[in-house]
């Protein structure tokens, strides 16, 4: 295996991907609120730079992150994080499902996770199949298809909320060829929606038994009924006359 994912992102093709991913994360995280947010991996790229959450941490296995830790064993208490972004971590992790399990553990109920990954059902996935086993990044990764990822999230109690794809052009290494096929980016969403080289997924952690607290309308209605004036006994005129005649 040659190089690293960060080194590949410095290449023309990597910059092509990174520009689109940064734009997506900038737009999405700006509308999420809370107290604590995590970015797992890619510490050199600040994907939380547009986030309004006051405390943001980057977790990485080397000296690049604010928190040095294994992403499959996060050093955070359960239900303490409001947002987790995971850029291209799962396809290079030894145990991707364990990474998601840790994310589910640290997220608060209704917390959000945003993932990006390489799509195996694309021109990018086709190129990966023709690479050698010791190929460089990103072709050395185990690309995870979108249905499988959604199944994993569902099993961990997540509900998929939104998503999209990008990088429809063939994964050329040279900038001039990427520019020649730039028209495919605009046409991809319309004509080849599932064929993007990179996908994004947004999901929310759901917890069974949770419900919104609303006023107890039945109890309020019963109180109003209890305070209503008592009905009066009404005696009609004929009954009154009979009673009066009896007394006489």
């Amino acid at each position: 295996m040659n190089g690293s994912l960060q080194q590949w992102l410095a290449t023309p093709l990597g910059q092509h991907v990174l520009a689109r991913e940064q734009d997506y994360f900038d737009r999405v995280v700006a509308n999420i609120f809370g107290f604590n947010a995590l970015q797992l991996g890619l510490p050199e790229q600040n994907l939380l730079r547009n986030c309004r959450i006051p405390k943001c941490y980057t977790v990485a296995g080397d000296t690049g992150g604010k928190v040095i830790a294994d992403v499959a064993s996060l050093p955070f208490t359960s239900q303490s994080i409001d947002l987790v972004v995971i850029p291209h971590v799962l396809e290079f992790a030894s145990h991707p499902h364990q990474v998601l399990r840790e994310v589910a553990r640290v997220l608060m109920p209704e917390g959000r996770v945003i993932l990006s990954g390489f799509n195996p059902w694309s021109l990018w996935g086709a190129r990966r199949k023709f690479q050698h086993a010791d190929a460089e990044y990103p072709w050395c990764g185990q690309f995870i298809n979108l249905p499988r990822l959604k199944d994993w999230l569902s099993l961990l109690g997540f509900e998929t909320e939104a998503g999209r794809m990008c990088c429809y052009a063939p994964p050329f290494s040279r900038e001039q060829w990427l520019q020649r096929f730039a028209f495919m980016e605009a046409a991809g969403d319309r004509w080849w929606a599932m064929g993007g080289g990179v996908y994004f997924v947004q999901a929310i952690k759901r917890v069974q038994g949770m419900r919104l607290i609303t006023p107890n309308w039945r109890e309020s209605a019963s109180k109003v009924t209890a305070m209503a004036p008592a009905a009066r006994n009404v005696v009609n005129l004929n009954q009154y006359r009979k009673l009066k005649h009896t007394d006489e």
Side-chain angles (χ1 to χ4, degrees):
M1 186 186 304
N2 299 319
S4 66
L5 182 60
Q6 188 59 47
Q7 290 175 341
W8 176 79
L9 288 174
T11 66
L13 183 57
Q15 289 292 300
H16 176 79
V17 172
L18 185 58
R20 285 153 180 78
E21 294 203 20
Q22 186 74 66
D23 178 70
Y24 181 84
F25 281 105
D26 283 347
R27 287 185 289 104
V28 173
V29 301
N31 299 319
I32 300 175
F33 302 92
F35 298 98
N36 299 286
L38 298 181
Q39 175 182 325
L40 306 186
L42 293 184
E44 294 84 357
Q45 311 301 326
N46 187 4
L47 301 179
L48 293 172
R49 67 184 185 182
N50 221 28
C51 185
R52 302 184 187 183
I53 294 176
K55 295 182 179 181
C56 298
Y57 307 93
T58 303
V59 180
D62 52 32
T63 56
K66 291 183 179 179
V67 178
I68 310 302
D70 183 357
V71 294
S73 183
L74 297 174
F76 298 94
T77 58
S78 300
Q79 300 186 7
S80 61
I81 307 298
D82 300 281
L83 167 66
V84 179
V85 299
I86 311 176
H88 300 290
V89 170
L90 300 182
E91 54 258 66
F92 304 106
S94 301
H95 304 285
H97 196 271
Q98 174 59 29
V99 175
L100 288 179
R101 188 179 291 109
E102 273 294 276
V103 171
R105 180 185 66 81
V106 300
L107 271 177
M108 297 183 65
E110 304 300 306
R112 296 171 181 266
V113 58
I114 308 173
L115 306 101
S116 64
F118 293 108
N119 180 17
W121 296 345
S122 66
L123 294 175
W124 292 62
R127 175 175 172 175
R128 176 185 171 275
K129 290 184 179 180
F130 292 99
Q131 297 291 329
H132 297 290
D134 58 347
E136 62 184 7
Y137 282 86
W139 319 115
C140 61
Q142 298 296 322
F143 293 4
I144 302 170
N145 64 63
L146 200 53
R148 175 179 294 181
L149 177 60
K150 290 182 177 180
D151 284 343
W152 288 355
L153 290 170
S154 179
L155 289 173
L156 292 170
F158 287 96
E159 178 183 335
T160 302
E161 180 188 32
R164 63 157 301 175
M165 290 193 175
C166 69
C167 301
Y168 293 92
F172 295 117
S173 300
R174 295 185 179 182
E175 178 65 28
Q176 59 267 34
W177 283 101
L178 289 172
Q179 293 178 358
R180 287 186 182 183
F181 284 83
F183 69 92
M184 294 184 66
E185 295 300 327
D189 283 333
R190 183 174 181 181
W191 300 110
W192 198 13
M194 295 301 294
V198 174
Y199 57 71
F200 303 97
V201 176
Q202 299 179 50
I204 303 176
K205 178 183 175 180
R206 301 299 191 189
V207 177
Q208 293 184 355
M210 288 190 63
R211 64 182 179 86
L212 295 175
I213 299 177
T214 58
N216 191 339
W217 301 113
R218 291 183 178 181
E219 182 179 353
S220 300
S222 63
K223 291 181 179 179
V224 172
T225 304
M227 296 176 61
R232 297 180 179 179
N233 293 326
V234 179
V235 180
N236 59 37
L237 183 59
N238 292 330
Q239 290 177 332
Y240 175 75
R241 288 175 177 175
K242 288 182 180 180
L243 291 172
K244 186 176 180 182
H245 179 72
T246 303
D247 291 339
E248 294 177 352

